């Protein structure tokens, strides 16, 4: 069965710290991996990684896909209190027409 | 303009009642989804539709019946509500099927069954 696992489940850091969130997956016919940030309500899109785009960066956030290790990391440098959220990883497989989500990592950044 | 909109935002109801949640997207996407998020924030696919056609029904009880009158709308009707149905229900859309597109989410409907 297709599976997505995120670690750690939760994390508390201080402003200015760097954090690394992990996502590992077991899917047949991998197509893409997506990262989302969820604060109060709807998840908002951060990055999509595919075989042709294994590294993405936006400001203090960056993500890398390791197709050999079947995993991805999301890095946040110089964290701010506004980064406090649940970070969700989702994986899509060709032909299954669905995105499978991990359990999320709950990040809390203290001032 | 909100890209994916759901109504209502909150729904509080008694066990045994029937309720509906509506979803509309103005992105011109072909594919729409319903996801359920439990208290531990785990998002699980329930249904997906492509151009009004049901593609995925992910072992959801048949008390849940989705309806897509056109490709911009996907509604969810729930019969005989149970306590375990309490959750946040998210509607989402993507340009097409296949997994190569990003998902856009609505703001969610928080359903509380008493």
């Amino acid at each position: 069965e297709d599976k997505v696992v995120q670690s750690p489940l939760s994390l508390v850091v201080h402003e200015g710290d760097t954090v690394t969130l992990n996502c590992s997956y077991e899917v047949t016919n991998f197509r893409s991996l997506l990262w989302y940030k969820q604060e109060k309500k709807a998840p908002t899109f951060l990055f999509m990684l595919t075989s042709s785009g294994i590294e993405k960066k936006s400001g203090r956030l960056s993500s890398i896909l390791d197709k050999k290790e079947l995993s991805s990391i999301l890095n946040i440098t110089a964290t701010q209190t506004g980064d406090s959220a649940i970070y969700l990883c989702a994986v899509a497989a060709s032909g299954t027409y669905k995105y499978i989500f991990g359990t999320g990592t709950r990040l809390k950044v203290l001032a | 303009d909100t890209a994916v909109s759901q109504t209502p935002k909150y729904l509080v109801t008694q066990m045994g009642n029937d309720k509906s949640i509506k979803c509309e997207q103005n992105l011109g996407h072909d594919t729409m989804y319903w996801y359920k998020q439990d208290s531990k924030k785990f998002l699980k696919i329930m249904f997906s539709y492509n151009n009004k056609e049901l593609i995925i029904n992910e072992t959801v009880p048949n008390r849940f019946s989705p309806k897509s009158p056109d490709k911009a709308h996907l509604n969810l009707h729930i019969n005989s509500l149970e306590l375990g149905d309490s959750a946040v229900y998210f509607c989402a859309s993507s340009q097409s099927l296949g997994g190569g597109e990003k998902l856009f989410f609505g703001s969610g409907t928080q359903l509380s069954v008493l």
Side-chain angles (χ1 to χ4, degrees):
Chain A
E1 188 183 330
D2 296 335
K3 195 164 65 171
V4 178
V5 177
Q6 290 184 246
S7 63
L9 286 180
S10 64
L11 195 52
V12 180
V13 300
H14 289 92
E15 267 193 323
D17 288 349
T18 293
V19 297
T20 298
L21 311 182
N22 298 283
C23 175
S24 63
Y25 59 89
E26 292 175 28
V27 297
T28 309
N29 297 324
F30 171 87
R31 176 75 192 272
S32 62
L33 185 146
L34 293 82
W35 284 98
Y36 282 84
K37 178 183 181 182
Q38 186 175 23
E39 295 174 88
K40 296 234 161 50
K41 278 288 184 180
T44 53
F45 175 78
L46 294 174
F47 298 118
M48 184 167 77
L49 303 161
T50 65
S51 299
S52 56
I54 62 170
E55 194 164 345
K56 294 283 171 79
K57 184 174 167 59
S58 176
R60 296 179 296 103
L61 276 67
S62 62
S63 184
I64 297 172
L65 176 69
D66 187 337
K67 282 204 71 182
K68 193 173 170 188
E69 295 296 325
L70 306 184
S71 64
S72 173
I73 58 169
L74 175 68
N75 275 328
I76 309 174
T77 59
T79 51
Q80 302 169 357
T81 53
D83 295 327
S84 296
I86 295 170
Y87 290 83
L88 297 165
C89 170
V91 174
S94 295
T96 60
Y97 311 127
K98 62 183 176 183
Y99 296 79
I100 302 161
F101 281 81
T103 46
T105 293
R106 193 181 292 263
L107 173 65
K108 189 169 176 63
V109 182
L110 302 175
Chain B
D1 269 349
T2 305
V4 182
S5 57
Q6 291 179 233
T7 53
K9 289 193 183 327
Y10 300 95
L11 200 45
V12 181
T13 188
Q14 300 285 334
M15 266 197 317
N17 284 351
D18 303 338
K19 289 292 176 188
S20 291
I21 308 171
K22 296 189 175 193
C23 179
E24 175 182 4
Q25 53 95 2
N26 62 7
L27 298 166
H29 287 172
D30 288 340
T31 311
M32 295 184 73
Y33 310 80
W34 280 111
Y35 277 86
K36 179 180 179 182
Q37 188 172 47
D38 61 23
S39 56
K40 293 184 180 173
K41 301 296 185 182
F42 181 58
L43 269 168
K44 188 168 167 52
I45 181 79
M46 298 174 70
F47 301 103
S48 75
Y49 270 75
N50 190 61
N51 277 319
K52 304 192 299 175
E53 185 183 337
L54 178 67
I55 302 298
I56 292 172
N57 178 342
E58 212 41 35
T59 60
V60 176
N62 58 16
R63 299 182 294 104
F64 291 79
S65 49
K67 274 209 174 76
S68 182
D70 55 61
K71 74 174 195 178
H73 294 85
L74 180 61
N75 303 322
L76 183 65
H77 186 76
I78 315 169
N79 288 326
S80 304
L81 278 155
E82 300 178 357
L83 293 176
D85 297 332
S86 295
V88 181
Y89 292 84
F90 284 102
C91 176
S93 72
S94 63
Q95 182 66 56
S96 60
L97 283 176
E101 314 285 343
K102 59 185 181 185
L103 283 177
F104 291 79
F105 283 89
S107 58
T109 296
Q110 181 147 2
L111 171 64
S112 298
V113 182
L114 308 176

